[in-house]
């Protein structure tokens, strides 16, 4: 029997491996197509308890970020806690902020998330403190962030608020929020919504400006403001513009923690000049 040349041997080996790979692909395709489809589970079904201890799903806080956020809330509890954004993970903060006089409010643009959160809260029954979910509309997409910031810098009404945020004439102020949100004093404000993940999706410009305005308008001590996704351009622009790098006290991953105290210039949010954006 004649021996195969090295070239013939290599060709044979390649054909064998190609055939095996093709058979494997056929088996996988057949298995996927013949397996019965499982009913979908929403994030609320999968993690309705919202303990926030594991690695978060898409765009959520990771374990270290959530630990920092949890510690910020726990240090002020029982307190007034306002959260822009809503997920099972964020809803867990309501349990952290417990005790006599605690008040937690969540703001979301998702009807589905609002309904799911209300079901979870109703299932927990009465307890110390209160938690409410509010719907909001964010009219400006993330792609308009720079144009809005440029106009806000040129508009005196977008300077540091001197009265209630509800009466602000600034385009960035979320004045359509209910009075129980805009007229309350908040000790901790979290910005992790709306999505802002793409230029066409609702951006967080208004949420960050409103958080800063509420913090500046509050009397009686410093307000802790936490902003998530600080790796993104819009969040960095607006946090530096309205929460001020001088107020940054801690950071973990994509979560930055600012402490906004009384004082500073009467007509501006920050004592330093605005960051030049090229």
């Amino acid at each position: 029997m004649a021996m195969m040349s090295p070239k013939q041997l290599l060709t044979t080996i390649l054909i064998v491996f190609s055939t095996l790979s093709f058979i494997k692909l056929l088996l996988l395709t057949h298995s996927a197509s013949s397996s019965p489809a499982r009913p979908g589970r929403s994030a609320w079904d999968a993690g309705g308890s919202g303990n926030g201890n594991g690695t978060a799903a898409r765009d959520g806080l990771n374990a270290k970020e959530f630990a920092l956020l949890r510690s910020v809330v726990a240090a002020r509890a029982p307190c007034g806690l306002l959260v822009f954004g809503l997920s099972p993970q964020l809803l867990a903060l309501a349990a952290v902020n417990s005790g006599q006089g605690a008040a937690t409010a969540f703001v979301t643009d998702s009807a589905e998330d609002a309904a799911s959160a209300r079901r979870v809260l109703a299932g927990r029954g009465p307890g110390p403190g209160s938690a409410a979910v509010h719907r909001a509309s964010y009219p400006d997409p993330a792609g308009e962030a720079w144009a809005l910031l440029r106009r806000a810098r040129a508009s005196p009404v977008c300077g540091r608020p001197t009265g209630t945020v509800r009466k602000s004439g600034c385009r960035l102020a979320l004045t359509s929020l209910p009075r129980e949100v805009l007229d309350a004093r908040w000790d901790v404000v979290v910005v992790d919504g709306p999505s802002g993940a793409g230029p066409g999706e609702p951006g967080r410009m208004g949420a960050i400006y409103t958080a800063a305005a509420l913090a500046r308008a509050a009397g009686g001590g410093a307000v802790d403001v936490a902003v998530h996704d600080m790796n993104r351009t819009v969040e960095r622009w607006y946090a530096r513009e309205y929460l001020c790098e001088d107020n940054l006290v801690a950071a973990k991953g994509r979560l930055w923690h600012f402490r906004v105290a009384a004082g500073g210039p009467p007509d501006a949010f920050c004592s330093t000049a605005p960051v030049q954006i090229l």
Side-chain angles (χ1 to χ4, degrees), residues 45-132:
D45 296 327
S49 61
N51 56 26
N53 292 327
T55 300
R58 174 184 175 269
D59 293 334
L61 291 92
N62 63 36
K64 291 183 178 180
E65 292 167 348
F66 186 81
L68 172 59
L69 182 57
R70 182 187 178 94
S71 69
V72 171
V73 176
R76 301 294 299 267
C79 67
L81 169 64
L82 174 63
V83 182
F84 290 95
L86 185 56
S87 66
Q89 188 182 46
L90 293 172
L91 193 65
L93 296 175
V96 178
N97 185 34
S98 61
Q100 190 67 33
T104 304
F106 297 92
V107 177
T108 178
D109 58 342
S110 168
E112 180 181 355
D113 285 345
S116 297
R118 287 171 181 144
R119 284 196 299 270
V120 173
L121 291 172
R124 292 178 180 174
S130 63

Side-chain angles (χ1 to χ4, degrees), residues 7-182:
K7 184 176 182 180
Q8 289 173 323
L9 181 61
L10 179 60
T11 302
T12 303
I13 292 172
L14 289 174
I15 292 172
V16 171
F17 274 103
S18 298
T19 303
L20 290 175
S21 299
F22 181 70
I23 293 172
K24 184 178 180 181
L25 178 61
L26 286 176
L27 290 174
L28 290 172
T29 304
H30 175 73
S31 175
S33 62
S34 60
S35 299
R38 296 183 179 180
R41 299 177 70 203
S42 71
W44 295 96
D45 296 327
S49 61
N51 56 26
N53 292 327
T55 300
R58 174 184 175 269
D59 293 334
L61 291 92
N62 63 36
K64 291 183 178 180
E65 292 167 348
F66 186 81
L68 172 59
L69 182 57
R70 182 187 178 94
S71 69
V72 171
V73 176
R76 301 294 299 267
C79 67
L81 169 64
L82 174 63
V83 182
F84 290 95
L86 185 56
S87 66
Q89 188 182 46
L90 293 172
L91 193 65
L93 296 175
V96 178
N97 185 34
S98 61
Q100 190 67 33
T104 304
F106 297 92
V107 177
T108 178
D109 58 342
S110 168
E112 180 181 355
D113 285 345
S116 297
R118 287 171 181 144
R119 284 196 299 270
V120 173
L121 291 172
R124 292 178 180 174
S130 63
V133 178
H134 303 280
R135 289 287 310 283
S137 175
Y138 298 98
D140 299 311
E144 296 293 321
W146 169 231
L148 288 168
L149 183 56
R150 189 171 55 221
R151 288 197 291 269
R153 285 178 171 178
S155 175
V157 298
C158 290
R160 181 171 174 166
T162 56
T164 176
V165 180
R166 180 167 46 84
K167 296 181 179 180
S168 172
C170 182
R171 166 71 180 269
L172 294 171
L174 299 177
T175 55
S176 62
L177 291 174
R179 294 183 66 139
E180 53 262 43
V181 172
L182 295 178

Side-chain angles (χ1 to χ4, degrees), residues 140-149 153 172 191 193-209 227-243 256 258 277:
D140 299 311
E144 296 293 321
W146 169 231
L148 288 168
L149 183 56
R153 285 178 171 178
L172 294 171
V191 179
S195 167
E201 296 190 30
R204 296 182 184 174
M205 301 82 70
I208 294 174
Y209 176 88
V227 182
H228 192 223
D229 294 314
M230 284 294 292
N231 58 310
R232 303 193 310 205
T233 302
V234 172
E235 281 77 1
R236 287 200 305 272
W237 280 355
Y238 278 76
R240 287 170 173 167
E241 185 83 11
Y242 296 112
L243 294 172
W256 288 17
F258 300 84
I277 302 173

Side-chain angles (χ1 to χ4, degrees), residues 178-199:
R179 294 183 66 139
E180 53 262 43
V181 172
L182 295 178
D183 289 351
R185 189 208 183 277
W186 303 104
D187 303 293
V188 180
V189 183
V190 179
V191 179
D192 197 14
S195 167

